[in-house]
Amino acid sequence: MRNIIYVFCAFLLASLYACGGKDPGEVAAHAAKQYYDYLLQEKYDAFVDGQYRPDAIPSSYREQLIANAKMFMGQQTKEHRGIKEVRIVNAQADTARHAANVFLLFAYGDSTSEEVNVPMVEHEGIWYLR
């Protein structure tokens, strides 16, 4: 049930931006940031639910994906003293293909930063991590 709420919140966020006449790339960028903010908030299940999957997955596989997200954050803590902030740098959407490339900046605890490309896909009006 909680997972549905997280995806609904992402959908609501995307809808608000869409109603405001926002650029699809902007909407995808805010959705990507929200999913990575879930990681920072240790809401690993919400991050996993933000990944696009056209078919249902077994619960054991979902649990493995959640464990991978936890390990990723543990690795970031070990190597960089954690991710302290996620910022949107740029986004480019291809509305014909319902896809976007979002560029996020991870600001680490050791005062370094890294720009990452986050591919996104739109499915039934919701932007998901690809």
Side-chain angles (χ1 to χ4, degrees):
M1 179 66 180
R2 186 177 349 148
N3 303 330
I4 294 171
I5 292 171
Y6 292 133
V7 172
F8 176 74
C9 287
F11 173 71
L12 183 61
L13 179 67
S15 297
L16 288 174
Y17 282 106
C19 291
K22 297 286 184 177
D23 175 57
E26 241 183 272
V27 178
H30 286 281
K33 182 182 181 321
Q34 180 62 55
Y35 293 133
Y36 277 91
D37 283 343
Y38 286 147
L39 275 182
L40 299 182
Q41 299 164 10
E42 298 181 359
K43 296 178 180 177
Y44 305 114
D45 54 341
F47 175 77
V48 168
D49 292 337
Q51 297 172 358
Y52 178 69
R53 282 181 217 84
D55 299 318
I57 60 171
S59 60
S60 59
Y61 180 56
R62 184 174 179 279
E63 291 303 318
Q64 289 174 4
L65 293 173
I66 291 170
N68 285 345
K70 288 179 187 178
M71 284 188 283
F72 170 75
M73 290 305 287
Q75 178 184 11
Q76 298 310 306
T77 299
K78 181 179 176 183
E79 293 178 4
H80 299 287
R81 289 189 276 184
I83 301 172
K84 299 303 176 193
E85 183 182 11
V86 175
R87 287 181 244 151
I88 298 169
V89 175
N90 192 12
Q92 301 167 341
D94 182 344
T95 55
R97 293 188 178 161
H98 301 279
N101 282 311
V102 175
F103 299 90
L104 299 177
L105 185 75
F106 291 171
Y108 294 110
D110 62 2
S111 62
T112 61
S113 61
E114 177 181 16
E115 187 174 314
V116 296
N117 176 24
V118 181
M120 301 288 288
V121 62
E122 182 188 25
H123 180 71
E124 296 181 359
I126 300 174
W127 285 96
Y128 292 96
L129 302 165
R130 184 170 29 158

